[in-house]
Amino acid sequence: MADWQSLGSIEVITRGTPEIRKNFNVEKVSPSWKVVQYPLKKEDIIYNLIVAVKGPRTVAALSSVAHRLNQRSTIVFLQNGMGMLEEINDKLFQDVETRPNYILGIVTHGLYPERLFSISHAGMGTTAIGLVPRYPPERSREGVEKPKDVWAPTSRYLLRTLTRTPVLAAVGFSPTDLMQLKLDKLAVSAVINPLTVMFDCKNGDLLNNDAVTRVMRLLLSEISLVIRSLPQLQGVPNLQMRFSPDRLESMICSIASTTAGNFSSMLQDVRAGHETEIDYINGYIVRRGEEMGIKCVMNYMLMQMVKGKRVMVNKVIYDQLAIEGLGRTS
């Protein structure tokens, strides 16, 4: 908070041109696991909230303001991976009638931090967004959704605002279409991210390597089977072809080639000793597979290897720290 008070602005760098943005109303909150039923005095209801933290930090971040959210509030989640909503509902918003409305988003813009409160918009992309139904939608025999929900005013406001902001290039999708887009991205992340961690390499180094291709195909056989077996996608046209192993492999190789010189976000997290999103990527495939009786041993093994790699890196990082009163072990 002291850093923000000294700077009081955010710098956005687009194509090398910096732009300073000021006049933000900033409120400091601290994560709390204590569940409060009603807003405390002098605290207002939050009607519109955008969450962009990494998956493992989502529950902690929302716990500090959960008591200020209700059925009229709308939360936009702009995150990698899947399965966060189930965790949030289980730990924070158990009552389906009173929980906030949810909007999910997929961002393909290239962004990276330059320094504190400075972000570089390195590459233009798109933003796909869609409302998450409060109740499961009915589906006709032709696979067409019959939504039960009436959109909350805050949801309509956020969808309208985001889609009318030119720089975001945001487009709205139906829940089923958005889920398929998220599963596309999940499949890519479930292969490229953990493999670059284990090989400690750039994305492009995974290509043109027969041994790596064999591992990739073993992973994809499990990922494809789980996605094509998901109950909420049954009856969706072209499901089997869209998520076939061959089509997923072609998509992954194309993205790895396009981003050949990049280090994956998961590799960057591991190198820095940070917690990864592996539980919401390969972990999601493993959990959904278990629900349907599908054993995803390759994805489970790779998930544990990434976690083990992070522990090893952390040991090296902490061993290099000079901590008063603690000697290094030889």
Side-chain angles (χ1 to χ4, degrees):
M1 193 66 178
D3 293 324
W4 173 258
Q5 290 175 344
S6 63
L7 291 174
S9 64
I10 295 176
E11 181 185 45
V12 179
I13 304 171
T14 305
R15 299 186 182 92
T17 303
E19 178 185 354
I20 303 298
R21 302 181 182 180
K22 300 181 179 180
N23 302 319
F24 293 97
N25 292 323
V26 177
E27 178 182 350
K28 181 182 179 181
V29 293
S30 299
S32 170
W33 293 102
K34 182 179 179 181
V35 177
V36 182
Q37 295 298 328
Y38 300 100
L40 301 176
K41 291 182 179 179
K42 297 183 180 179
E43 288 190 314
D44 297 324
I45 293 292
I46 298 174
Y47 291 106
N48 303 293
L49 180 65
I50 297 177
V51 176
V53 298
K54 287 184 176 290
R57 303 175 187 171
T58 304
V59 172
L62 280 175
S63 66
S64 58
V65 295
H67 60 285
R68 298 171 60 185
L69 298 162
N70 59 28
Q71 67 273 21
R72 293 175 293 171
S73 307
T74 297
I75 308 175
V76 180
F77 295 92
L78 301 175
Q79 301 171 297
N80 291 329
M82 298 179 69
M84 281 82 72
L85 294 190
E86 291 82 355
E87 184 177 2
I88 290 166
N89 289 339
D90 180 61
K91 294 182 178 180
L92 298 177
F93 305 116
Q94 293 90 353
D95 189 347
V96 68
E97 298 290 341
T98 60
R99 70 174 52 137
N101 303 282
Y102 301 145
I103 293 176
L104 291 179
I106 306 169
V107 179
T108 63
H109 292 270
L111 302 165
Y112 62 87
E114 292 280 358
R115 52 191 170 274
L116 195 62
F117 303 123
S118 177
I119 194 82
S120 179
H121 189 183
M124 289 296 297
T126 60
T127 305
I129 54 176
L131 189 69
V132 179
R134 186 178 295 271
Y135 307 99
E138 296 179 351
R139 189 179 296 278
S140 68
R141 294 180 180 179
E142 294 77 22
V144 179
E145 293 178 351
K146 296 180 178 179
K148 296 180 181 179
D149 293 271
V150 177
W151 289 10
T154 53
S155 300
R156 292 197 298 269
Y157 167 78
L158 275 172
L159 285 168
R160 184 171 61 249
T161 301
L162 293 173
T163 54
R164 291 181 179 180
T165 303
V167 69
L168 295 178
V171 179
F173 289 88
S174 70
T176 299
D177 287 342
L178 187 70
M179 183 177 187
Q180 291 180 84
L181 291 173
K182 286 193 71 70
L183 288 168
D184 277 336
K185 187 172 184 180
L186 184 83
V188 173
S189 299
V191 173
I192 292 179
N193 286 12
L195 289 184
T196 54
V197 169
M198 298 317 304
F199 293 116
D200 196 31
C201 67
K202 295 180 179 179
N203 296 351
D205 295 331
L206 299 176
L207 302 172
N208 304 315
N209 186 318
D210 290 341
V212 175
T213 299
R214 293 188 187 99
V215 174
M216 186 185 302
R217 288 174 177 171
L218 288 171
L219 288 169
L220 286 176
S221 65
E222 295 178 354
I223 294 169
S224 172
L225 179 58
V226 168
I227 293 176
R228 289 183 289 118
S229 301
L230 290 173
Q232 54 267 59
L233 292 183
Q234 300 311 303
V236 173
N238 207 34
L239 175 69
Q240 300 300 319
M241 181 176 294
R242 174 167 183 164
F243 293 104
S244 68
D246 289 343
R247 187 257 174 181
L248 293 179
E249 182 180 344
S250 297
M251 179 175 61
I252 289 168
C253 290
S254 175
I255 291 175
S257 177
T258 302
T259 62
N262 297 353
F263 292 104
S264 71
S265 59
M266 188 174 290
L267 175 56
Q268 295 178 55
D269 284 338
V270 169
R271 285 181 171 180
H274 297 158
E275 191 172 8
T276 72
E277 297 175 301
I278 193 73
D279 283 326
Y280 302 94
I281 300 177
N282 299 78
Y284 179 82
I285 295 296
V286 172
R287 289 192 301 275
R288 296 309 305 267
E290 288 177 346
E291 293 172 4
M292 299 179 289
I294 301 172
K295 298 291 185 181
C296 299
V297 292
M298 288 294 297
N299 281 272
Y300 181 80
M301 180 183 70
L302 192 56
M303 179 175 65
Q304 299 305 319
M305 291 175 72
V306 169
K307 292 182 177 182
K309 179 72 174 289
R310 175 178 172 254
V311 171
M312 293 178 183
V313 171
N314 278 352
K315 286 182 179 179
V316 173
I317 293 174
Y318 294 143
D319 189 53
Q320 293 173 348
L321 295 176
I323 303 176
E324 185 177 355
L326 295 177
R328 293 184 182 180
T329 58
S330 58

